[in-house]
Structure formats: structure tokens, C-alpha cells
Amino acid sequence: MADYITDSSSDFTEYWIDLFLGIKGNEYFCDIDDEYIRDRFNLTGLNQEVSKLPTLIDIITDLIDLDSQPEDQRDTLEHNARILYGLIHARYILTSRGLNKMFEKFRNGDFGYCPRINCQLHPLLPIGLNDSPRVASVKLYCAKCEDLFNPKSNRHAVIDGAYFGTSFPAMFFQNFPNAIPIHSKETYVPRVFGFKLHEYSQLNRWRHLQRMKLESRLVKSGINVSNVNGGFIEVEQRQEER
Amino acid sequence: MPSDEEDYIPWIQQFCELFGHDYFVQVSQDFIEDDFNLTGLSSQVPYYREALYTILDYQVETAEDSPQDNNSIPGTANTTATTNTANTSSSKKEAKNELPNKALLAHSAELLYGLIHARYIISKQGLTAMASKFERNDFGSCPRYFCDGMHLIPVGSTDIPGQETVRLYCPCCNDIYIPSSSRYLNIDGAFFGTTFPGLLVKMFPEIENQCRIRINKFSANDFGLKLFGFKVNETSASGPRMRWLRMHPKTDEEKEEYENCEFSVPKWVSDSDMEDANDDDQEDGDDLDDDEDDEDDDDEEENDDDDKTMASE
Ligand SMILES: [Zn+2]
Ligand SMILES: [Zn+2]
């Protein structure tokens, strides 16, 4: 690939991970500690996903320079090093340190914001639809509407979802319960000359009925859902969609 | 009248080719020339007549064009400062000198065009023009993963200009979104209006078909957060609490419930009235059964009819 950085041998202040994180499109990744990568326990099973695992680890942790490798293998090694980083990343972001790093990125809006009007630019989290590599690209999860979105940029849309994994958002909110938003009950029904379209209103009413039943079930289980994290925004004198 | 220059581009075409104006269609000349279509707009747009002439590519005199006239009458050198007196003044001579400056006229013309545009795209002709744009995906695709690239439709949250920027409606998830590119973030939503998406969807049933295909495709897939393969329960704060937003009635029970939502949300037994026996999720339908007295009445009427036919036989 043209953008592989293979000519930086003279500049040894640049670390492989920093270069990787600096590549356009890699904004979703956080910086993994060297100790985590060097601990073989954390890499269990990954030798099945990439060949020459020990060499790749040495490349990622700057123990060896890519330029010291045979020229015809450099591109493959760099390519596999990036895959390995992604796969380690999926595991790392479920650890306490990884979660904290991702929380900072979430707060910075590094993963973008929900495009849904009623979510009012709620920050998104990356998620994989599958934990195996090369199955599905990364998606973005909005905790406010609990839905999945495609990344806006093509650079992000092609990243393997396995580098973030299926468990990440659930783990994230288990660790940061205060980051769970209060959901909005607002919905949209198309209008024609001011009148709501009948069948769309009917579906909308049925959906609100499902919501009220959910609230009722939760309240019965002793769970408060009024203006609390994971609950619903109570608007005073809110007009129920009719 | 239009100038004779070779490289002359009509105002409307120029407007539609501006950066970020690609959601607009070109309103046909005859639509604009029909006074009926412009009813009420003259009070909403300053320098209405000049703005209209601008859109139609007639020569319009601006303050910059006639500095001598302005100077010849004392006190009217600054046209913008005297705008307020223009309406009250009955003197034709004075009114003639109330010329808009170029920037003001440009703004008025854009406002007028936007308001005409909102009316045009809900006319048969305009709706068809916008439908082709929709088909070409000129408004972009729904960012929602499960909407599978459904094409979006521009919409205003109000018909009053200057309030909100344009938004995009997805007929598949029935939600509205912010345009993905910032170039559309200063386009007035009123230039598309509140009625357009509903009318488009109703006039072109193919759109609802496309939605139905997508909804069926993903109907088995009810996404929810998982932790190491296990679904997070709804009693957890991060559990599924928003699934209702995108649900469609699937089971017979849900379909019946949906029928009952035709005119209002049916009352259903609140938790305090519920018996412990109804605790399971499975019992949701029972809550409604308790509440379907209206339905029962209908059934009885039907039975009555049956009785009558029976009796007449
Ligand atoms: Zn959202
Ligand atoms: Zn959608």
C-alpha cells in the first residue's frame, strides 16, 4: 500500500504505535500499553490469525525496525502488524486501562455524534457485529437511541469491526454507568398540510404503547425510569403523540 | 429581459449550482409566473417585486445602479435607512428611489426562491422532479445501519423561514437526521417545508415498498447490546430501552394491538391493577385483553347482524 510508512528508519523518535495512530482513518483506536502487548497471556490464540506473531510484536513495540527485515516481506509484515494491533485492541479496550482511554475518546467525540435529531449530538461508540476478523466492518453505537450507525467517512467504514468487538459498549456502560444517557421519548410522524399521516400515527401510537408497557414492567420490578440514567426524559405537560 | 451574452446563466440555475444547494430543484418558469402560486409571499419577502424580477432574470435597478438619482433627492442617499418609510409613502417619485442594494436584493431573491421552492415541490411537477433526485440518492442515504442505505428525503421542521436548517427524513425508520455534510447546515428547512416527505411517500408507493423490503430483511434481527455473547437484560440501565422506537407489529397479538391503536393509544391495565399472575412478559397480551371492551362491542354487533340474517332466513 502506498501509505505504508517504511522509510522512517532515520527518525527513531517515531514509535510504531504513534505512527499507526496518526494514520488518517485510525482515529477510533486508542494507544495500547507496551506491557499489555508484551504479555503473551493477552495474545492467547492470536497466532492463529496472523503469521510470525513474535516478529509482529517486536515491530509494534519498536524492538525491531521494519527496515531490518527482508525487503520483499516488509509490506506483508506491516500489514499483519496492523491487523495484530487491531485484534489486541479489541481485548485491551475491555480492560480497565483501555476502557478509561476509550472513555476519554468518547468524551472528545472521537467516534462522532449520533446524526438523529432527537439524540441531540450524543457521542457514539465503536462496535463490532462479530468478534472474528474479516466478517463485518465497524459500526457506531448510540446509547441514546440504542441504534447502530454507519461511520460517515469511508476511511472509518472499512475498518474491521473485530478490532473493537461485540462486547465493548456493554462493558463500557457497565464501567461508566453515569455515561448511560436518559432516553428521549420524542418521535417523528410525517405531516401533510399540518395533518399527521394516519397509518404513521397509528404505528407511532403502537410504538408508544410498547414503550409504556416497558416502563410499566420496569416500574413493577422496582426500577425507576423517570429522569434517571437509562430511563426516560419526563417532559412536563408533554403531549402524548396522538 | 435576459441579457444576450453567450455565457449567460439563468438566476435559478446559478442558485441551484451554488455550493450546498444541490438539494434544490429548478422551479419551472411557468410555476413562478402563475400569480396564484405566489399568493401571500409578497408580505414575507422584502423588495418582493425586485426579488421576483431577479429570479426571472429581468433587469432590476439597484441602489448601486443609480447613484445620481439618489443624490439628486436630499436625504435618500442611504436607501436602506429609509426602507421603513417606503411603505407609508404614497409618492411614486419617492418610492422609485427606494431601491434595494445588491446584497439585500440577493438575500430577498434567495428567500423568495426558497419559499416558492417549498410550494413547487409539493405540486405535481415539482414532486416528480424531486422524486428523480430521491431516486438518484441526491439527498444521501440513511446513516442507520439497519436501514441498509435507504434514500433520505429533505424536510423542514417548520414552514416559517429563518427558524431551523434542513433535515433529512428516512421513510424506513421514520426518523429525522442531520445532513452528514456541513455544507447543508445553513440551508433553511422552510425551503423544503414540513409537508414534502409525507406527500412524496404517499404519491410514490414504490418508496414504501423499498422500506418494507428492508424492514422484513432485518425483522429477525433485534439488535441489543451483548457482553461476551450474552444479551444485556432490559432491567439493566444499559439494557434495551429503546427498541419500541423501531418496532413493527409482527405477532398476531401485536397486530391486533396495532389495530387498536387506530385512533388513540388504548388504555391498558396499569401495574398497580395487575395481578401477580400477570408478571411474566408473556402476559402482555392479557393486559390488553382486559382492556378490549370496545372490540367486544364490535363483535357483539357483528353477532347481532348474524342473528338478523339467521332470523330472516
Ligand atoms: Zn442516537
Ligand atoms: Zn432510516
Side-chain angles (χ1 to χ4, degrees), chain A residues 59-88:
Chain A
I59 291 171
I60 292 174
T61 56
D62 302 300
L63 287 182
I64 56 166
D65 198 307
L66 204 57
D67 285 355
S68 68
Q69 299 299 305
E71 207 178 332
D72 60 330
Q73 289 178 23
R74 284 179 201 163
D75 277 4
T76 313
L77 283 171
E78 172 67 17
H79 181 72
N80 285 338
R82 292 183 185 192
I83 292 174
L84 180 64
Y85 189 87
L87 294 172
I88 300 172

Side-chain angles (χ1 to χ4, degrees), chain A residues 182-183 224-235:
Chain A
I182 310 174
H183 305 293
N224 179 18
V225 289
S226 175
N227 290 321
V228 294
N229 298 105
F232 297 97
I233 299 167
E234 288 311 330
V235 185

Side-chain angles (χ1 to χ4, degrees), chain A residues 114 119 142 145 149:
Chain A
C114 184
C119 285
C142 171
C145 59
F149 295 92

